[in-house]
């Protein structure tokens, strides 16, 4: 009989009621692809939490193995770039949404979706960074390209105690920015200061309906929240500033006006990590290797086993997770 391995499978019945179960699969059950990987580490992102909890329509193929990130070792390949034994990372590309994802001990994907594990980085380290950290790096690069350098003034990071926020605070502070961290969890202030935040402000300061323009407070920002929070961040961004938007934890709407854009020349920089071209991904992972203090990963992350994924998925949606969750498979 074919060798089996553990996997989490999300299914839906004829009445569209969702269920989640741990099951056994074989490689014959995997979807199409030219590279098969032994998954050594994965992570629990906010999107993974939405997929498992069913609180947003993340999954678009049924049944599906969720999990948008993994790091591991190639066990077989017909792709020209990869051979057995290569260490690889996958982020996005619809994996965990329309293609079987990371919450299994094996994954079969397209080789074009993979990037090499950076030298000196373990699969565990890579997943302590994960899509959240890779997205944070994309935000930083976008701000830099827009001319938002440390001398321009402070930068704000919303949802700062979450995965994207935690890594963004760490990277920005290491690059010399004055980082203002916004969080709804005041108890996390010491954690954020340890990561490098110069100031911590309460989420409530940015949670109410925004004025078209408010007092200028920062030159730029990284926003993972959306809705009223992003509207307030934009209204408080100084002339010629920019905000990189990459998330919707607070909602998909953006109740703002054109005032920040036409009266202060503020730019809203959209960040997509899922379908980013390979060259962009390689640059982001290269920069992570130089600009993120890997010694901070221990404080940025907690580690669980495969059996803890489902509970962690619900916790992250409920706002009970700080930083990053690494799953050692």
């Amino acid at each position: 009989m074919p060798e089996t391995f553990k996997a989490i499978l999300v299914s839906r019945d004829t009445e569209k009621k969702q269920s989640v179960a741990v099951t056994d699969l074989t490689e014959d059950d995997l979807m199409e692809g030219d590279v098969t990987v032994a998954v050594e580490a994965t992570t629990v992102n906010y999107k993974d939490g939405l997929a498992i909890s069913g609180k947003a329509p993340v999954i678009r193929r049924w049944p599906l193995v969720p999990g948008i990130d993994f790091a591991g070792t190639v066990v077989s390949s017909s792709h020209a770039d990869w051979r057995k034994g290569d260490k690889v990372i996958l982020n996005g590309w619809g994996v965990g949404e329309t293609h079987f994802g990371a919450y299994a001990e094996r994954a079969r994907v397209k080789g074009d979706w993979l990037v090499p594990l950076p030298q000196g980085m373990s699969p565990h380290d890579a997943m302590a960074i994960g899509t959240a950290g890779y997205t944070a790096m994309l935000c930083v690069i976008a701000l830099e390209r827009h001319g938002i350098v440390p001398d321009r003034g402070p930068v704000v990071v919303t949802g700062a105690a979450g995965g994207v926020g935690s890594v963004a605070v760490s990277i920005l502070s290491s690059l010399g920015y004055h980082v203002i961290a916004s969080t709804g969890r005041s108890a996390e202030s010491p954690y954020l200061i340890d990561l490098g935040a110069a100031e911590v402000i309460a989420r409530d300061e940015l949670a109410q309906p925004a004025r078209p323009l408010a007092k200028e407070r920062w030159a730029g920002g990284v926003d993972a929240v959306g809705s009223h929070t992003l509207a307030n961040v934009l209204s408080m961004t100084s002339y010629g500033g920019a905000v990189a938007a990459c998330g919707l934890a607070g909602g998909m709407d953006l109740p703002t006006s054109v005032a920040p854009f036409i009266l202060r020349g503020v730019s809203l920089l959209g960040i997509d990590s899922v379908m980013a071209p390979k060259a962009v991904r390689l640059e982001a992972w290269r920069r992570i290797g130089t600009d993120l203090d890997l010694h901070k990963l221990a404080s940025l992350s907690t580690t669980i086993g495969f059996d803890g994924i489902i509970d962690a998925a619900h916790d992250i949606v409920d706002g009970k997770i700080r930083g990053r969750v690494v799953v050692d498979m």
Side-chain angles (χ1 to χ4, degrees):
M1 291 180 62
E3 182 181 353
T4 62
F5 52 85
K6 289 190 302 182
I8 293 173
L9 198 66
V10 182
S11 304
R12 196 163 67 174
D13 63 20
T14 55
E15 296 180 352
K16 296 187 176 182
K17 181 179 179 181
Q18 181 172 307
S19 60
V20 182
V22 176
T23 188
D24 289 327
L25 299 179
T26 72
E27 288 195 11
D28 291 341
D29 296 313
L30 297 177
M31 295 176 66
E32 72 282 352
D34 47 16
V35 181
T36 302
V37 179
V39 179
E40 297 174 37
T42 180
T43 180
V44 181
N45 295 288
Y46 188 75
K47 184 182 282 188
D48 300 317
L50 293 175
I52 286 178
S53 67
K55 291 188 176 181
V58 170
I59 293 176
R60 300 190 298 280
R61 180 201 183 279
W62 305 90
L64 193 82
V65 175
I68 66 172
D69 282 346
F70 65 72
T73 302
V74 173
V75 294
S76 65
S77 171
S78 59
H79 190 282
D81 290 348
W82 308 108
R83 63 186 64 183
K84 184 177 180 180
D86 286 344
K87 298 287 188 178
V88 294
I89 299 171
L90 182 136
N91 308 109
W93 291 117
V95 171
E97 299 177 64
T98 59
H99 190 97
F100 275 22
Y103 296 160
E105 293 172 312
R106 288 286 187 276
R108 183 182 295 127
V109 297
K110 294 182 179 180
D112 290 342
W113 296 347
L114 300 168
V115 297
L117 182 72
Q119 197 75 24
M121 188 180 292
S122 70
H124 181 102
D125 290 341
M127 289 300 99
I129 298 161
T131 284
Y134 146 66
T135 303
M137 191 73 247
L138 292 177
C139 291
V140 173
I141 292 171
L143 291 175
E144 290 175 338
R145 289 178 175 163
H146 199 78
I148 309 302
V149 294
D151 289 346
R152 286 285 297 272
V155 291
V156 65
V157 176
T158 67
V164 172
S166 294
V167 180
V169 168
S170 181
I171 292 173
L172 288 165
S173 64
S174 72
L175 293 172
Y177 289 85
H178 180 101
V179 180
I180 301 171
S182 167
T183 180
R185 294 176 270 174
S186 59
E188 303 293 6
S189 293
Y191 162 75
L192 292 168
I193 291 169
D194 285 344
L195 289 182
E199 303 176 48
V200 180
I201 63 174
R203 178 175 58 199
D204 290 347
E205 292 189 35
L206 305 175
Q208 302 306 312
R211 297 169 57 190
L213 288 176
K215 182 180 178 181
E216 298 176 50
R217 296 180 66 176
W218 34 71
V222 173
D223 176 68
V225 179
S227 194
H228 293 295
T229 296
L230 177 54
N232 275 290
V233 169
L234 290 166
S235 76
M236 299 175 187
T237 299
S238 58
Y239 191 90
V243 179
C246 64
L248 45 69
M252 191 177 286
D253 61 321
L254 180 54
T256 188
S257 73
V258 298
F261 311 116
I262 67 172
L263 298 179
R264 286 189 183 156
V266 170
S267 295
L268 179 58
L269 311 176
I271 306 300
D272 168 59
S273 64
V274 176
M275 304 303 290
K278 190 168 184 176
V280 173
R281 294 166 181 268
L282 291 171
E283 171 65 6
W285 279 100
R286 184 191 68 77
R287 287 287 305 275
I288 286 168
T290 60
D291 298 341
L292 177 61
D293 183 353
L294 294 183
H295 294 296
K296 289 185 178 180
L297 287 178
S299 62
L300 273 170
S301 61
T302 56
T303 301
I304 62 174
F306 178 90
D307 293 341
I309 291 174
I310 295 174
D311 286 342
H314 288 281
D315 285 345
I316 199 167
V317 173
D318 293 339
K320 298 177 181 178
I321 297 291
R322 179 179 81 178
R324 305 281 297 125
V325 177
V326 183
V327 183
D328 281 339
M329 299 290 282

